[in-house]
Amino acid sequence: MEVWFTEDQTKNLRISCRVREVLFSGESPFQKVAVLDTLEFGRMLTLDNVIQTNIKDEFVYHEMITHVGLNTHADPKKVLVIGGGDGGTVREIVKHKGVEKVVHVEIDQMVIDVAKKFFPELSVGFNDPRVEILVDDGIKHVKENKHTYDMIIVDSTDPVGPAVGLFSEEFYRSVYEALREDGLFVAQTESPFFNSDLITRVTSTISGIFPVTRLFQAVVPTYPGGYWTFTMGSKKYDPLAVDTEKISALDTKWYSPEIHRTAFVLQPFVKELL
Ligand code: AG3
């Protein structure tokens, strides 16, 4: 028997993956959580039937949401991660020896438990002594912690349901306040093919708050369109002014000093959104 998982990427577009086995399926107070063993992508985490991550392509997203910003800041010591309960983002941050503290705020305990059990490759960073995990609301956390972080990473789900607030002007203002005077933040900002209005709105909102706003891109095969964006809001540092020759070597598969530069090269149709 063939078993397939299908995500409705838009109302009119679907992605399907053949499933060898359903390893976990549960419902938390926030969402439906599932772990599927897929034939094409290996173990895959879905939340409310939306693909979050998988063993085959996770490195692209997790390396890009972390290293571009960490290598833009001159000396990031204290980093906050909002969301990203699978652990992939934290795993990449702790590769930076200069980082002294990572506060990881994830709203859903079930996602953390599932990551520990089914995604040891992603959740390894949870064991690093510099990492503190808080099961809490990220929006509340940034409001309550002013002038605290060098970098904030928003590793959210799509802008529907619980994550809507993480794409709002009010939230970006709290992020600004939660950052130290030379701090910066990076958020995942969806697909220019299917979420163009969101990209336009978010970049214009962020540029109204932060002196430097930059959109960059990478390829994530399992996300809608396969072309994914991230947006950086920065109080001082410009990622394009980084001397990429001075970036220290990291054990990565997608990110490199060359990619640090080329990720900001945008196609005309994407530039038009900004
Ligand atoms: N965060 C989810 C990105 C959005 C994916 N959207 C989609 N598949 N429709 C990824 C979490 C990884 N730590």
Side-chain angles (χ1 to χ4, degrees), residues 5-189:
F5 161 80
T6 297
E7 170 186 336
D8 293 330
Q9 292 193 325
T10 73
K11 219 165 69 191
N12 308 303
L13 177 68
R14 293 174 169 171
I15 182 174
S16 294
C17 306
R18 195 169 155 200
V19 173
R20 191 181 283 117
E21 196 186 341
V22 177
L23 299 171
F24 177 86
S25 163
E27 189 149 5
S28 77
F30 303 96
Q31 54 209 344
K32 277 193 250 154
V33 180
V35 180
L36 313 169
D37 183 15
T38 69
L39 281 98
E40 202 62 60
F41 295 102
R43 274 161 285 129
M44 176 177 274
L45 173 70
T46 66
L47 299 177
D48 284 338
N49 286 319
V50 174
I51 299 173
Q52 299 302 316
T53 197
N54 64 74
I55 294 299
K56 196 167 182 170
D57 74 18
E58 60 85 10
F59 67 94
V60 182
Y61 177 96
H62 292 127
E63 291 178 11
M64 292 304 278
I65 205 168
T66 53
H67 303 310
V68 175
L70 286 163
N71 285 334
T72 294
H73 194 290
D75 189 20
K77 287 197 161 64
K78 195 162 177 192
V79 183
L80 170 67
V81 178
I82 296 176
D86 52 75
T89 295
V90 169
R91 177 196 65 202
E92 294 305 312
I93 298 169
V94 298
K95 287 181 181 172
H96 292 252
K97 302 277 176 282
V99 170
E100 291 171 355
K101 174 97 193 163
V102 184
V103 178
H104 183 199
V105 181
E106 162 62 51
I107 203 163
D108 195 341
Q109 178 73 54
M110 189 182 277
V111 178
I112 295 171
D113 294 343
V114 154
K116 286 187 184 158
K117 182 153 181 210
F118 297 102
F119 295 93
E121 307 85 339
L122 279 82
S123 55
V124 277
F126 291 169
N127 304 321
D128 190 292
R130 294 169 290 171
V131 177
E132 180 185 2
I133 302 178
L134 304 173
V135 179
D136 204 352
D137 179 355
I139 297 180
K140 188 176 123 238
H141 185 89
V142 286
K143 276 195 189 134
E144 289 170 357
N145 290 273
K146 301 235 185 289
H147 213 72
T148 306
Y149 295 103
D150 299 307
M151 179 169 175
I152 297 177
I153 298 175
V154 189
D155 183 2
S156 77
T157 49
D158 292 335
V160 282
V164 169
L166 296 173
F167 294 83
S168 71
E169 173 165 1
E170 192 192 347
F171 173 68
Y172 298 137
R173 289 200 185 278
S174 319
V175 165
Y176 184 94
E177 298 282 315
L179 287 166
R180 291 174 172 155
E181 63 287 346
D182 58 351
L184 59 86
F185 92 103
V186 173
Q188 74 89 359
T189 44

